[in-house]
Amino acid sequence: MNPEQIAAEFIRPDRIEQRLGLGYHGAVYATSRGSAVKVHERRHTYQTELLVYRRLGARRVSRIGMFSVPQLVGHDDDCLIIEMTAVRPPYLLDFGQVTLDSPPDFPIPWREHVAARIDEKFDDEQQASIASSIVSQLQWKYGIYYLDMKPGNIEF
């Protein structure tokens, strides 16, 4: 089955409304029940993202700064599916590329990596500053080292 068929089977009897995104880690679909379903391509990113949603959920995090964070609705370990609440901009999402509790092993220090990545992806200085603050809050408050800093994941 393709990702859309897997998602449709997971949410049955409800239905898929539209594809919201397609990337390296999987496909995301809006559902008729007002949620979003992500079908992961790889078990590792599924497990990582599920851990993040559980960690944030246990701490009742629905916002980080002005950014909405999706809430875990359901999941399926066999199909590698996460169902989450739908969010509208401004939002923060896509937690498949993170490390938990310690920075990733990079050849440069973590802070330098964050600064370079944000400068590369965000043209607007104010947005870059806010994105940097969000990444710092994830790290210091929740032990989440967020790696996929880009517009679309940090949406203004």
Side-chain angles (χ1 to χ4, degrees):
M1 282 196 286
N2 68 40
E4 186 170 350
Q5 291 169 321
I6 293 168
E9 186 65 30
F10 176 77
I11 65 161
R12 190 161 269 140
D14 296 302
R15 64 188 184 288
I16 298 297
E17 295 286 311
Q18 68 179 356
R19 186 173 71 196
L20 298 174
L22 179 64
Y24 179 74
H25 297 290
V28 182
Y29 303 93
T31 72
S32 61
R33 57 186 176 209
S35 63
V37 176
K38 184 171 184 179
V39 182
H40 290 77
E41 292 286 327
R42 292 161 192 79
R43 183 162 298 280
H44 172 73
T45 56
Y46 163 77
Q47 291 170 333
T48 300
E49 192 153 17
L50 184 59
L51 285 171
V52 170
Y53 280 119
R54 285 180 169 161
R55 180 175 288 193
L56 294 173
R59 296 179 183 171
R60 301 180 190 266
V61 175
S62 62
R63 300 187 76 73
I64 297 178
M66 65 184 202
F67 294 85
S68 296
V69 177
Q71 306 297 292
L72 181 65
V73 174
H75 63 93
D76 185 305
D77 293 336
D78 295 326
C79 295
L80 308 181
I81 291 177
I82 292 177
E83 183 177 9
M84 65 205 91
T85 57
V87 291
R88 297 188 194 288
Y91 59 69
L92 169 68
L93 47 77
D94 198 353
F95 298 104
Q97 286 187 343
V98 305
T99 61
L100 296 173
D101 302 321
S102 60
D105 187 22
F106 286 145
I108 62 173
W110 170 245
R111 286 186 180 159
E112 288 178 35
H113 169 78
V114 170
R117 179 84 172 157
I118 287 175
D119 285 346
E120 171 189 322
K121 296 294 181 177
F122 292 90
D123 294 331
D124 181 277
E125 284 185 39
Q126 184 178 8
Q127 288 183 355
S129 176
I130 293 168
S132 181
S133 174
I134 294 300
V135 172
S136 291
Q137 287 180 57
L138 283 169
Q139 175 190 344
W140 294 111
K141 288 184 178 180
Y142 309 110
I144 298 168
Y145 290 79
Y146 190 76
L147 298 169
D148 207 2
M149 305 150 244
K150 63 184 180 186
N153 289 347
I154 303 174
E155 185 65 42
F156 287 84

